[in-house]
Amino acid sequence: MPAYGFKNIVGNSITIRLLKRSLKNNTFPQFSLLSGVYGTGKSTNAKNIALALTCEHPIDGEACMACDSCKANLKAFGSTGESYNVKIVNLGKFSRKNDVTELIKDIFILQSGLHNKVYIFEEAHSLAGISGAQTAFLEEIDRMPPNTFVIMCTTEAHHILDALRSRAMQFSFNRLTIAESEVLLDLAAKEHGVTNIDNQVEDLIIENARGIPRDLLKALDFVLSNKVTEEELLELFHKINNSTWLELFSSMYGKDMALTVTLIENILTTHGVYDVISGLKDFVIRALFVVETGNTKEGFSSTEVLQLYEMYRDNNDLYKIASLIEKLSYSSNSADVKLCLFNIRLMLQKRNLGNIVAEKEKIASVESIHAKDMAKEMAAFSGASTNNKLTKLSAGSLNSFLGGGV
């Protein structure tokens, strides 16, 4: 069971401070809307609010977690979601106007008693898909009993009617910053009895979570429970490691275009286009930051940092690369990615398409001459075999027949 209570929340400090203050002052609004992307703590904090509103002995806006009401609520949160003073309703499961009508009747008509009653509506935006549902709430919201509180949680506040949204006090929950993610990761690791996590693993977890507390905690729990290595984590998160990108970009400075082509094909074969584009942009951004500022805490080892400095003494190359990959969108296909990377190679070698075409024509010409010579030798060999006479091949002819040099 999650550790409830505002004191256990990391991030969104101003919002949490305002929630606690209003609860302490008994001024928390009867109708509120908690919005933000998934996993940022809306549901958890809705429960924290419900605990505080129904607690028998609240302390500075926090529930005591020890009274009968708190115990009943905590038990409900781990099972049915309903106690005698808190009810959690997933509106995403509603499909009929009658479902909404019954809920409204429960909230606005049948309520009685002196104790606070709190309703938490998950996926409140789902009401938009039921004709007349939001209007029905709107008609009753101003007649809410004084001891009743409705908390709506949504990832899509824009689907809530303006008139309904304007009646609610809206609290937004944002993604965690990197610093906040590090704090949360450290606290959660200590709860697992772990005091030290490999820096590379920590960076991967934080990067993959992208500021979403739920994703961060889920990944950490899996990593610690299964002793996942950095290599396994890269595969799990569909990440392309630094060495792969460094090898690719290093090849672009060389003359062997076939090597670059092979490396590009390998990356696109083992990873989806979306992951490749995302990884490419992330790598270049981090590389730019390291080369430009000297800050080495960007997920690179000391050896990789030295490689970056060696490859990009001139920052302009990285800025040019960034300008080229900026044109890739997440709807691009593998051909778009290949073309972008080939253009980067041309740019790094300070060549243009004309150079490449001329080079290919020269290679094709040499290969054509070689093919003709080989055809003559094959014809001579074939003719000799037909006449049952073996013609002695010269050393040069034999070498040509076996695929030697021109």
Side-chain angles (χ1 to χ4, degrees):
M1 181 182 295
Y4 291 107
F6 294 116
K7 63 180 180 296
N8 295 309
I9 301 297
V10 175
N12 292 290
S13 55
I14 293 177
T15 299
I16 298 301
R17 189 162 65 240
L18 290 172
L19 291 175
K20 285 186 62 177
R21 188 186 304 163
S22 63
L23 289 164
K24 178 182 178 181
N25 296 336
N26 294 316
T27 56
F28 187 80
Q30 283 187 268
F31 181 35
S32 58
L33 180 65
L34 309 190
S35 63
V37 298
Y38 73 94
T40 49
K42 299 180 298 300
S43 296
T44 298
N45 282 296
K47 292 171 185 175
N48 286 336
I49 294 167
L51 283 164
L53 285 170
T54 58
C55 179
E56 296 167 17
H57 310 292
I59 306 168
D60 292 329
E62 290 263 20
C64 72
M65 304 295 180
C67 67
D68 290 342
S69 177
C70 285
K71 289 178 181 178
N73 290 335
L74 290 172
K75 183 179 180 180
F77 294 163
S79 55
T80 62
E82 183 175 359
S83 68
Y84 58 85
N85 51 19
V86 175
K87 185 173 184 178
I88 300 173
V89 181
N90 187 342
L91 296 180
K93 296 180 178 180
F94 283 20
S95 58
R96 303 175 304 155
K97 176 72 177 296
N98 285 346
D99 296 330
V100 177
T101 302
E102 287 300 313
L103 181 60
I104 289 173
K105 183 179 178 181
D106 183 27
I107 298 172
F108 302 108
I109 299 174
L110 298 181
Q111 272 308 306
S112 62
L114 300 175
H115 299 292
N116 288 342
K117 181 81 172 182
V118 181
Y119 290 84
I120 298 174
F121 294 162
E122 301 280 10
E123 298 186 45
H125 51 271
S126 299
L127 289 175
I130 304 174
S131 178
Q134 294 195 72
T135 304
F137 265 106
L138 186 61
E139 292 171 351
E140 298 290 344
I141 207 74
D142 292 330
R143 296 196 290 271
M144 195 183 303
N147 63 326
T148 301
F149 295 82
V150 172
I151 305 171
M152 287 188 170
C153 300
T154 179
T155 56
E156 302 175 34
H158 57 282
H159 284 319
I160 307 294
L161 281 178
D162 289 342
L164 187 58
R165 196 165 67 236
S166 68
R167 283 168 168 74
M169 177 61 71
Q170 186 169 341
F171 298 95
S172 298
F173 288 84
N174 304 310
R175 297 172 186 266
L176 301 182
T177 64
I178 292 177
E180 290 168 343
S181 296
E182 290 173 346
V183 170
L184 180 58
L185 192 69
D186 184 56
L187 290 173
K190 287 178 180 176
E191 288 182 4
H192 281 269
V194 177
T195 56
N196 186 34
I197 302 177
D198 180 81
N199 288 337
Q200 296 291 78
V201 170
E202 180 177 314
D203 289 341
L204 279 171
I205 293 174
I206 291 174
E207 180 189 347
N208 185 70
R210 298 185 181 279
I212 305 295
R214 182 194 301 162
D215 288 352
L216 186 147
L217 295 174
K218 181 174 61 178
L220 177 67
D221 182 64
F222 185 80
V223 167
L224 296 181
S225 299
N226 298 282
K227 297 181 180 179
V228 180
T229 65
E230 179 188 350
E231 182 181 4
E232 291 170 332
L233 205 55
L234 283 166
E235 185 69 24
L236 180 66
F237 292 158
H238 306 289
K239 297 292 181 184
I240 304 171
N241 59 31
N242 293 331
S243 61
T244 298
W245 291 122
L246 285 167
E247 183 181 16
L248 174 61
F249 282 107
S250 178
S251 77
M252 291 180 178
Y253 286 96
K255 294 182 179 180
D256 187 357
M257 186 172 180
L259 174 60
T260 301
V261 171
T262 299
L263 292 172
I264 292 172
E265 291 289 353
N266 287 344
I267 291 172
L268 285 168
T269 299
T270 55
H271 297 84
V273 174
Y274 179 93
D275 293 327
V276 172
I277 294 172
S278 178
L280 178 60
K281 290 184 176 183
D282 175 71
F283 173 81
V284 172
I285 290 170
R286 289 186 294 114
L288 263 172
F289 195 75
V290 169
V291 173
E292 187 71 27
T293 68
N295 188 325
T296 57
K297 193 178 181 183
E298 287 297 323
F300 293 103
S301 67
S302 56
T303 302
E304 290 167 345
V305 169
L306 290 175
Q307 281 183 270
L308 285 173
Y309 284 138
E310 182 66 26
M311 287 169 59
Y312 301 115
R313 289 194 184 97
D314 182 0
N315 293 359
N316 287 332
D317 277 357
L318 270 175
Y319 283 111
K320 288 175 182 176
I321 291 173
S323 67
L324 286 171
I325 66 171
E326 184 182 16
K327 297 173 183 177
L328 286 174
S329 71
Y330 289 107
S331 61
S332 299
N333 56 34
S334 59
D336 296 324
V337 174
K338 290 177 184 178
L339 183 59
C340 174
L341 292 171
F342 290 151
N343 281 331
I344 289 173
R345 183 177 187 274
L346 287 174
M347 180 273 297
L348 292 176
Q349 297 202 5
K350 298 177 173 54
R351 303 162 74 196
N352 56 42
L353 194 57
N355 299 142
I356 298 296
V357 171
E359 180 181 289
K360 286 297 179 185
E361 287 177 347
K362 183 186 293 185
I363 292 172
S365 176
V366 172
E367 289 177 344
S368 176
I369 294 171
H370 178 71
K372 289 177 181 178
D373 288 344
M374 185 125 178
K376 290 179 182 178
E377 295 287 355
M378 287 292 288
F381 181 77
S382 176
S385 298
T386 303
N387 297 323
N388 294 318
K389 295 180 180 179
L390 294 177
T391 303
K392 185 176 181 180
L393 296 176
S394 66
S397 300
L398 181 62
N399 182 46
S400 178
F401 176 70
L402 294 175
V406 179

